[in-house]
Amino acid sequence: MSGIGGRVVLATSNAVRKLGNALDNVGAMIEVAKYSERLVPSTRFVAVDGVGPKTDPECAFVAPSASLVGDVSLGKGSSVWYGAAIRADVNPVTIGENSSIGDRAVVHVAKIQGDYPTIIGNNVTVGPGAVVHAATLKDNCVVGASAQVLDGSVVEPNAIVAAGAVVTPKSVVKANQLWAGSPAKMVRELTAEEVASILDTAEDTLELAFVHADECAKDTETLHEDALEYEDTRIRDPEYIFQPPRKGDDLEETDVSGLGSPGLVFDDALNAPEKWLKENEQRIKDKFQKAKE
């Protein structure tokens, strides 16, 4: 019966597949506007007129969902975070060292109404959701979350544009000043502590960028191992006498598997004995040779 049932299922599936293809062809014949579904290629680095983004080999981090389009230069230690877009199609965008473009921030240039590139110096922090449009941000300054710095504006060193502020076109935010509001105006001079915090923020963001770069660079095998380690740590009592081995630990002679105490890590390796044997082949040979002597 099983043989007859299998043949019936096979014949039915073939008939259904042919019917589906026929219906699809009929639909394609009667549709007015032809449509072809295509996979969207990665938009992290996109060239315009043959000019593509240039990143320093030691740039800290470019998020997988960020977009760098056209003549963009990204300096050493700088980072572009998740969902950020930097478009340099009609003029260049230059970003110096140890600067960061926050999540969902937008950096553009201008050509039609004024001819402005965008220049961002060193140790600059552009907050999440901020807009820098055809402007110049000099060294050691901060543009707060959702703030806007518009065409032809200049933010001088050691200045802060507060969150949500709108710096109108061709404005100059003077050094050591805090600007806020819409339109943005000078509120007061910065304190020495606030000036020092500008560099601290840039350094903290740089350290965090390295962490995210390492995480985003992991392959599926490493992510799987991380998940197993997390789950093992979550359910294993830290006071339990048997703990999984860590890097640099000496394995006990009684640890035949070389994997420590039974648990998730142990079980996972048992599901891949060939991998374990390959990794431990020389150790087993050495142990056997030692026993013979």
Side-chain angles (χ1 to χ4, degrees), residues 52-131:
K54 298 178 287 294
T55 60
D56 189 279
E58 296 184 39
C59 75
F61 174 55
V62 177
S65 57
S67 296
L68 277 65
V69 181
D71 192 5
V72 178
S73 298
L74 188 65
K76 176 181 176 181
S78 290
S79 55
V80 183
W81 292 77
Y82 304 96
I86 304 175
R87 178 159 57 86
D89 47 359
V90 294
N91 257 316
V93 172
T94 304
I95 301 173
E97 298 183 358
N98 302 335
S99 294
S100 62
I101 309 300
D103 305 76
R104 299 175 292 100
V106 175
V107 179
H108 281 181
V109 291
K111 187 75 172 180
I112 299 174
Q113 296 179 342
D115 191 356
Y116 299 110
T118 291
I119 302 172
I120 299 175
N122 303 327
N123 303 308
V124 175
T125 300
V126 177
V131 175

Side-chain angles (χ1 to χ4, degrees), residues 31-77:
E31 67 181 356
V32 177
K34 298 294 184 182
Y35 172 75
S36 297
E37 186 175 10
R38 293 184 174 87
L39 294 175
V40 179
S42 172
T43 55
R44 185 154 63 150
F45 300 101
V46 179
V48 176
D49 293 333
V51 180
K54 298 178 287 294
T55 60
D56 189 279
E58 296 184 39
C59 75
F61 174 55
V62 177
S65 57
S67 296
L68 277 65
V69 181
D71 192 5
V72 178
S73 298
L74 188 65
K76 176 181 176 181

